[in-house]
Structures are given as C-alpha cells and as structure tokens.
Amino acid sequence: MNPFEMIELIESKEQFIDFLNSLSADSIENSNEWENHSIENYLERIASWVDDFSSCPRNDIDWDKVDYKLIAKLFYVGKIYE
C-alpha cells in the first residue's frame, strides 16, 4: 500500500508511525515521483498547500480544529532528534 492510501486508515499512533516510515521509504524507492527533493522545497510546498487548500472549495478540513502546535513540534523535532 502506498503512503497516500494509508492516510485514510490512520487511527493510532502506531499507524501514523508506519505512515511516516512508508513515506520515508517511498522517497527513496520512488524518488522520481517526488516533486520536492530538498527539505527547503518540501517544507515550502507544505506551507503553500495549507494556504491554498484552506480556501479551496474542495477543502474538507476543519482548520479551526487542527492542532498546529503539535504539527509544528513534529516538524521541528525532525531537525534536532537523533
């Protein structure tokens, strides 16, 4: 199962960790499918997607219920955790 298909199945911390590991493996195994190959581009595109999608008619996320501090912490610890 590819990482995109896994998203809808995530209901636990363990499944989230499996998803991240799958996404990491996918970046190596299918690098030709990735638009953003540097961490700078990857993070910029995430920010751009959040900005664009939050005002898109197809938006299906309740942006007032997102835990932004948790998401920020997850991205930050990737910088410092060994």
Side-chain angles (χ1 to χ4, degrees):
M1 179 179 309
N2 71 47
F4 183 75
E5 294 169 330
M6 294 176 75
I7 293 171
E8 292 300 320
L9 304 176
I10 297 172
E11 294 183 358
S12 69
K13 177 181 70 174
E14 291 76 16
Q15 289 172 318
F16 179 64
I17 291 169
D18 288 344
F19 165 76
L20 292 175
N21 288 326
S22 176
L23 193 62
S24 177
D26 187 72
S27 73
I28 295 166
E29 296 165 6
N30 300 302
S31 64
N32 59 319
E33 295 176 2
W34 282 62
E35 291 291 328
N36 304 294
H37 297 277
S38 72
I39 190 70
E40 300 87 20
N41 287 58
Y42 186 72
L43 293 172
E44 287 172 2
R45 297 296 52 94
I46 292 170
S48 180
W49 181 87
V50 169
D51 189 39
D52 291 345
F53 193 71
S54 62
S55 61
C56 173
R58 296 182 321 153
N59 174 30
D60 60 352
I61 298 170
D62 185 344
W63 295 96
D64 293 328
K65 293 186 179 180
V66 173
D67 187 343
Y68 295 105
K69 287 182 184 180
L70 174 61
I71 295 170
K73 187 180 286 188
L74 292 172
F75 280 105
Y76 184 78
V77 297
K79 171 186 173 181
I80 60 171
Y81 192 76
E82 295 180 17

